[in-house]
Coordinates of all heavy atoms in Angstrom, one line a residue:
A144 N 45.8 21.5 0.1 CA 45.2 22.5 0.9 C 45.9 22.8 2.2 O 46.6 21.9 2.6 CB 43.7 22.1 1.4
R145 N 45.9 24.0 2.7 CA 46.4 24.3 4.0 C 45.5 24.9 4.8 O 44.4 25.4 4.5 CB 47.6 25.4 3.7 CG 47.1 26.6 3.0 CD 48.2 27.6 2.8 NE 47.8 28.8 2.0 CZ 47.3 29.9 2.5 NH1 47.1 29.9 3.9 NH2 46.8 30.9 1.8
V146 N 45.7 24.9 6.2 CA 44.8 25.3 7.2 C 45.1 26.7 7.4 O 46.2 27.2 7.6 CB 45.0 24.5 8.5 CG1 44.1 25.0 9.5 CG2 44.7 23.0 8.2
I147 N 43.9 27.5 7.3 CA 44.2 29.0 7.5 C 43.6 29.3 8.9 O 43.9 30.4 9.6 CB 43.6 29.9 6.5 CG1 42.1 29.6 6.2 CG2 44.4 29.7 5.3 CD1 41.4 30.5 5.3
L148 N 42.6 28.5 9.6 CA 42.3 28.7 10.8 C 41.6 27.4 11.5 O 40.7 26.8 10.6 CB 41.2 29.8 10.9 CG 40.7 30.1 12.3 CD1 41.8 30.6 13.3 CD2 39.6 31.3 12.3
A149 N 41.9 26.9 12.5 CA 41.3 25.8 13.2 C 40.8 26.2 14.5 O 41.5 26.7 15.4 CB 42.3 24.7 13.3
D150 N 39.5 26.0 14.8 CA 38.9 26.3 15.9 C 38.4 25.0 16.6 O 37.3 24.5 16.3 CB 37.6 27.4 15.6 CG 37.0 27.8 17.0 OD1 37.8 28.3 17.8 OD2 35.8 27.7 17.1
E151 N 39.1 24.7 17.7 CA 38.9 23.4 18.3 C 37.6 23.4 19.1 O 36.8 22.5 19.2 CB 40.1 23.0 19.2 CG 40.0 21.7 19.8 CD 41.2 21.3 20.6 OE1 42.2 22.0 20.6 OE2 41.2 20.1 21.1
R152 N 37.2 24.6 19.7 CA 36.1 24.6 20.4 C 34.7 24.4 19.7 O 33.9 23.7 20.2 CB 36.0 25.9 21.1 CG 36.9 26.1 22.4 CD 36.7 27.4 23.2 NE 35.4 27.3 23.8 CZ 34.8 28.4 24.3 NH1 35.5 29.6 24.4 NH2 33.6 28.4 24.8
S153 N 34.6 25.0 18.5 CA 33.4 24.7 17.6 C 33.6 23.6 16.7 O 32.7 23.2 16.1 CB 33.2 26.1 16.8 OG 34.3 26.3 15.9
D154 N 34.9 23.1 16.6 CA 35.1 21.8 15.7 C 35.0 22.2 14.3 O 34.6 21.4 13.5 CB 34.2 20.6 16.0 CG 35.0 19.4 15.4 OD1 36.1 19.4 15.1 OD2 34.3 18.4 15.4
I155 N 35.4 23.4 14.0 CA 35.4 24.0 12.7 C 36.8 24.3 12.2 O 37.6 25.0 13.0 CB 34.5 25.2 12.5 CG1 33.1 24.8 12.7 CG2 34.5 25.7 11.0 CD1 32.1 26.0 12.7
A156 N 37.3 23.9 11.0 CA 38.4 24.3 10.3 C 38.3 24.9 9.1 O 37.2 24.4 8.3 CB 39.5 23.2 10.3
V157 N 39.1 25.8 8.6 CA 39.0 26.6 7.4 C 40.1 26.3 6.6 O 41.3 26.6 7.0 CB 38.6 28.1 7.5 CG1 38.4 28.8 6.1 CG2 37.4 28.3 8.4
L158 N 40.0 25.8 5.4 CA 41.2 25.4 4.6 C 41.2 26.4 3.3 O 40.2 26.9 2.8 CB 41.0 24.0 4.1 CG 40.7 23.0 5.1 CD1 40.6 21.6 4.3 CD2 41.8 22.8 6.2
Q159 N 42.4 26.5 2.9 CA 42.5 27.1 1.4 C 43.2 26.3 0.5 O 44.2 25.8 0.7 CB 43.4 28.5 1.6 CG 43.7 29.2 0.3 CD 42.5 29.8 -0.3 OE1 41.9 30.6 0.3 NE2 42.2 29.4 -1.5
L160 N 42.4 26.0 -0.7 CA 42.9 25.2 -1.7 C 44.0 26.0 -2.5 O 43.8 27.1 -2.7 CB 41.7 24.8 -2.7 CG 40.6 24.1 -2.0 CD1 39.6 23.5 -3.2 CD2 41.0 23.0 -1.1
E161 N 45.0 25.2 -2.9 CA 46.1 25.9 -3.5 C 46.1 25.5 -5.0 O 45.8 24.5 -5.4 CB 47.5 25.4 -2.9 CG 47.5 25.9 -1.4 CD 48.8 25.5 -0.7 OE1 49.4 24.4 -1.1 OE2 49.3 26.2 0.2
G162 N 46.5 26.5 -5.8 CA 46.5 26.3 -7.3 C 45.2 26.5 -7.9 O 45.0 25.8 -9.1
V163 N 44.3 27.1 -7.3 CA 43.0 27.2 -7.9 C 43.0 28.2 -8.9 O 43.5 29.3 -8.9 CB 41.8 27.7 -7.0 CG1 40.5 28.0 -7.4 CG2 41.7 26.6 -5.9
E164 N 42.4 27.9 -10.3 CA 42.4 28.7 -11.3 C 40.8 28.8 -11.6 O 40.2 27.8 -11.8 CB 43.2 28.1 -12.5 CG 44.6 28.1 -12.3 CD 45.4 27.6 -13.6 OE1 44.6 27.2 -14.5 OE2 46.5 27.6 -13.4
G165 N 40.4 30.0 -11.8 CA 38.9 30.3 -12.1 C 38.1 30.3 -10.8 O 38.6 30.2 -9.7
R166 N 36.8 30.0 -10.9 CA 36.0 30.1 -9.8 C 35.5 28.7 -9.6 O 35.0 28.0 -10.6 CB 34.8 31.1 -10.1 CG 35.3 32.5 -10.3 CD 34.0 33.4 -10.5 NE 33.0 33.4 -9.5 CZ 33.0 34.2 -8.5 NH1 34.1 35.0 -8.2 NH2 32.1 34.1 -7.5
L167 N 35.4 28.3 -8.3 CA 34.9 26.9 -7.9 C 33.4 27.1 -7.6 O 33.0 28.1 -7.1 CB 35.8 26.4 -6.8 CG 37.1 26.2 -7.1 CD1 37.8 25.6 -5.9 CD2 37.4 25.2 -8.3
P168 N 32.7 26.0 -7.7 CA 31.2 26.0 -7.2 C 31.3 26.2 -5.6 O 32.1 25.7 -4.9 CB 30.7 24.6 -7.7 CG 32.1 23.7 -7.7 CD 33.1 24.6 -8.2
V169 N 30.2 27.0 -5.3 CA 30.2 27.2 -3.7 C 28.7 26.9 -3.3 O 27.7 26.8 -4.1 CB 30.4 28.7 -3.4 CG1 31.9 29.0 -3.8 CG2 29.4 29.6 -4.2
L170 N 28.7 26.7 -2.0 CA 27.3 26.6 -1.2 C 26.9 27.9 -0.6 O 27.8 28.4 0.2 CB 27.2 25.4 -0.3 CG 26.7 24.1 -0.8 CD1 26.7 23.1 0.3 CD2 25.3 24.3 -1.5
N171 N 25.9 28.5 -0.8 CA 25.4 29.5 -0.1 C 25.2 29.3 1.3 O 24.5 28.4 1.7 CB 24.1 30.3 -0.7 CG 23.6 31.4 0.0 OD1 24.4 32.4 0.2 ND2 22.4 31.3 0.5
L172 N 25.7 30.1 2.3 CA 25.5 30.0 3.7 C 24.1 30.6 4.2 O 24.0 31.8 4.1 CB 26.7 30.6 4.5 CG 27.9 29.7 4.9 CD1 29.1 30.6 5.4 CD2 27.6 28.7 5.9
D173 N 23.2 29.7 4.6 CA 22.0 30.2 5.2 C 22.1 30.3 6.7 O 21.8 29.3 7.3 CB 20.9 29.5 4.6 CG 19.5 30.0 5.0 OD1 19.4 31.0 5.9 OD2 18.5 29.3 4.7
D174 N 22.3 31.4 7.3 CA 22.4 31.6 8.7 C 21.2 32.3 9.3 O 21.3 32.8 10.5 CB 23.9 32.4 9.1 CG 23.9 33.7 8.6 OD1 23.1 34.1 7.7 OD2 24.9 34.4 8.8
Q175 N 20.1 32.3 8.7 CA 19.0 33.1 9.2 C 18.3 32.3 10.3 O 17.4 32.7 11.0 CB 18.0 33.4 8.1 CG 18.5 34.3 7.0 CD 19.1 35.6 7.6 OE1 18.4 36.3 8.1 NE2 20.5 35.8 7.3
E176 N 18.6 31.0 10.4 CA 18.0 30.1 11.4 C 16.5 30.2 11.4 O 15.8 30.2 12.5 CB 18.5 30.6 12.9 CG 20.1 30.4 13.1 CD 20.5 30.8 14.5 OE1 20.7 32.0 14.9 OE2 20.6 29.7 15.3
E177 N 15.9 30.0 10.2 CA 14.6 29.8 10.1 C 14.0 28.4 9.9 O 12.9 28.2 9.7 CB 14.1 30.6 8.7 CG 14.4 32.2 8.8 CD 14.3 32.8 7.5 OE1 14.3 32.1 6.5 OE2 14.1 34.1 7.6
Q178 N 14.9 27.5 10.2 CA 14.6 26.1 9.9 C 13.6 25.7 11.2 O 13.8 26.3 12.2 CB 15.8 25.1 10.0 CG 16.8 25.4 8.9 CD 17.7 26.5 9.0 OE1 18.1 26.9 10.2 NE2 18.1 27.1 8.0
Q179 N 12.8 24.7 10.8 CA 11.8 24.3 11.8 C 11.9 22.8 11.9 O 12.3 22.0 10.9 CB 10.5 24.7 11.4 CG 10.2 26.2 11.4 CD 8.7 26.5 10.9 OE1 7.7 25.9 11.4 NE2 8.6 27.6 10.2
V180 N 11.5 22.2 13.0 CA 11.5 20.8 13.3 C 10.4 20.2 12.2 O 9.3 20.6 12.1 CB 10.9 20.4 14.6 CG1 10.8 18.9 14.8 CG2 12.0 20.9 15.6

Side-chain angles (χ1 to χ4, degrees):
R145 59 183 174 85
V146 180
I147 55 177
L148 180 61
D150 185 52
E151 187 171 358
R152 287 188 61 189
S153 65
D154 196 18
I155 296 175
V157 183
L158 314 178
Q159 176 64 62
L160 304 187
E161 298 180 327
V163 173
E164 297 180 357
R166 297 176 61 82
L167 298 180
V169 301
L170 264 182
N171 177 57
L172 272 169
D173 182 357
D174 60 356
Q175 299 305 303
E176 297 185 278
E177 296 173 342
Q178 296 82 31
Q179 299 180 36
V180 175

